[in-house]
Amino acid sequence: MTEMIRLGARLRAARKAAGFKTSKDFLKKFKIPASTYSQHESGSRTPDDDTLKFYSKALGVNFNWLLAGAGQPFKNINQIKKTILAEELIDLKNLDSNSQILVNQKIASTSKNSLNITNPKLVAKILKELLNIQGICLSDNAAKSIAQETIKIYKRITSSTSSQNTQIKLLNEFFAAYK
């Protein structure tokens, strides 16, 4: 059961690192049954090798890594993918050394960071008020959702590097993946 959970965690991490924020986005693009994929990602059902090969190809991830955590997950991996993988797989024992170094850097960077955004309600209120000033009305739920995503993005980027120029480049890469 533990190995199935790990496979599911690798599948979820690969999906997110490939730019599919939600499983729904991934399912829609590749016309995959939601219940089947959900069971694969949760670890309650093990996908067969053909299905794993499909996932591997669709997500651009190494089949052996997806199957067993062996080797590197991606041939070409950028900082955002590394960060996403590290965050998604932080509780697994089989982190590769590059991911473990990134996790350590993230922890160290976060503790040094003087601006540690942790209050989504406050950020939501700020966003809502700033947009209202510009004549754009936003519901409380929309503001909260945007605030939570803003905090996640902020933390991912600021934890990966202290260089402001690199942070801007990472932000541009991050949003390019969703366009």
Side-chain angles (χ1 to χ4, degrees):
M1 181 68 170
T2 303
E3 187 52 41
M4 288 187 339
I5 293 170
R6 289 182 176 162
L7 187 148
R10 286 191 300 274
L11 181 59
R12 181 184 61 247
R15 173 183 52 79
K16 288 183 176 184
F20 296 98
K21 184 177 171 184
T22 66
S23 60
K24 193 175 190 177
D25 297 334
F26 178 66
L27 299 173
K28 187 176 179 181
K29 180 171 183 176
F30 292 100
K31 298 178 182 159
I32 301 167
S35 62
T36 300
Y37 183 78
S38 173
Q39 291 173 348
H40 291 165
E41 202 171 270
S42 71
S44 63
R45 181 175 168 194
T46 304
D48 60 30
D49 281 355
D50 288 339
T51 303
L52 277 178
K53 286 177 186 172
F54 171 77
Y55 290 155
S56 163
K57 186 175 181 180
L59 297 170
V61 70
N62 177 328
F63 173 79
N64 291 324
W65 179 83
L66 189 57
L67 175 67
Q72 294 298 315
F74 295 95
K75 287 181 184 178
N76 298 317
I77 188 164
N78 62 29
Q79 192 63 43
I80 292 174
K81 284 183 181 180
K82 283 182 185 179
T83 302
I84 292 169
L85 289 174
E87 287 177 352
E88 290 297 319
L89 302 174
I90 197 164
D91 59 340
L92 296 181
K93 293 179 182 175
N94 292 340
L95 286 175
D96 66 14
S97 60
N98 289 337
S99 293
Q100 190 60 54
I101 290 168
L102 183 64
V103 169
N104 292 342
Q105 287 173 343
K106 179 181 179 185
I107 292 166
S109 175
T110 301
S111 64
K112 290 180 207 170
N113 212 346
S114 62
L115 182 59
N116 188 7
I117 299 176
T118 57
N119 187 341
K121 286 183 179 180
L122 178 61
V123 175
K125 179 74 172 158
I126 292 168
L127 286 170
K128 187 173 179 179
E129 293 303 320
L130 286 173
L131 290 171
N132 281 338
I133 291 168
Q134 296 297 317
I136 301 168
C137 294
L138 205 58
S139 72
D140 288 342
N141 285 339
K144 182 179 176 184
S145 178
I146 292 169
Q148 288 170 337
E149 288 305 309
T150 301
I151 291 169
K152 285 179 191 175
I153 294 166
Y154 177 85
K155 286 181 175 181
R156 282 182 184 161
I157 290 173
T158 58
S159 68
S160 62
T161 181
S162 60
S163 164
Q164 290 182 357
N165 289 336
T166 304
Q167 289 173 351
I168 296 298
K169 287 179 185 176
L170 288 173
L171 183 62
N172 290 336
E173 281 183 44
F174 185 83
F175 284 114
Y178 288 98
K179 291 182 180 179

